Amino acid sequence: DDGDSWSPRAIAVDQDAPVVPVLFTSQISVGPNRIAFGLFDRDGALLSELAASVRIFAVEEDAGTLVSAHELERVEMRPSTTHEHADGELHPHASEPIAVFVTTAEFARPGDWGAEVTAELAGETTVVRMLFTVLERTTEPMLGERIPGSVQRVLRDVDDIAEIDSSLPPEPRMHEVTVAEALEDGLPAVIVIATPAFCQSRFCGPVVDEVVRPLEERHRGAATFIHIEPFDLAEARGGRLVVLPVMAEWGLMTEPWIFVVDREGRLAAKFEGVTSAAEVEAALLAVLE
């Protein structure tokens, strides 16, 4: 059935299906991409305990050609929010863990593409198709490109690390050098752009604490680790989110992001939203070798 109709009408998602997939990746481009799906039940709750796969189709004139098939890997993270107590202290509060289902797929051309997601839940198989658009390039850096040489504020530029890090506790080692300086060092780098205290997606805190910090401890000295806040923290603590220039420099429209950079300052891997330490470490080990 590879050539079946892929018109929007023909593949309209049945919202009463036991499993409804939603593409979480904000932008997909020509070349290899990490793509992530959220799988929801009939009531709109995000599912985690199930097996899923995806088939990717190139779509032309409402007909699809099968290009690749992938088992989807479950990646779990516990979202968190930060609550301000009466004394002004910020305290993180974790919610129940959620899971997304990820794979890496390659796209040969921009335009219309389709995904056919198969999910196995409670002995029942659900197959759902969706259309999506592949861009010639994403707004954030593309794999293989040299990353922006950002000159963000670091420890020497502030009186208090809380001006540039909303983590609890903050991590000084990830605020010692600018991105521009890291590009001159010749070491691989892991750059996380995230705001644990003011994250709109609720995943910034876990991405920093559960993914980046453990990797920094394991690979300290072999790679440079940098944390950049996307918002002006003084304004954020006053109740207003003011985006810092780094978001425009990197072409970012969501957060959090993790970027793995090779010794030449070129982007080797990028991770949006829910991510595992194993995924990022595999990409880092590849550039360390």
Side-chain angles (χ1 to χ4, degrees), residues 24-75:
F24 277 5
T25 306
S26 61
Q27 297 183 82
I28 297 174
S29 69
V30 171
N33 293 254
R34 177 187 184 265
I35 53 176
F37 296 90
L39 304 179
F40 294 83
D41 67 13
R42 290 186 176 96
D43 299 321
L46 201 56
L47 297 165
S48 60
E49 300 298 331
L50 72 168
S53 60
V54 64
R55 298 201 299 167
I56 302 295
F57 293 79
V59 177
E60 292 187 32
E61 297 182 355
D62 294 340
T65 301
L66 179 64
V67 172
S68 60
H70 313 260
E71 292 298 319
L72 292 173
E73 178 186 356
R74 180 177 178 272
V75 175

Side-chain angles (χ1 to χ4, degrees), residues 163-185:
E163 297 178 47
I164 54 174
D165 191 345
S166 66
S167 304
L168 293 173
E171 178 47 79
R173 285 190 299 268
M174 291 198 286
H175 296 279
E176 293 179 341
V177 298
T178 66
V179 175
E181 290 167 340
L183 288 173
E184 297 176 357
D185 289 344

Side-chain angles (χ1 to χ4, degrees), residues 18 35 69 82 85 96 193 206:
I35 53 176
T82 301
H85 289 219
E96 288 300 309
I193 299 178

Side-chain angles (χ1 to χ4, degrees), residues 141-147 259-262 265-270:
M142 297 275 285
L143 298 181
E145 291 182 346
R146 190 167 171 85
I147 63 166
F259 298 94
V260 178
V261 183
D262 69 15
R266 300 189 181 279
L267 186 61
K270 54 184 174 180

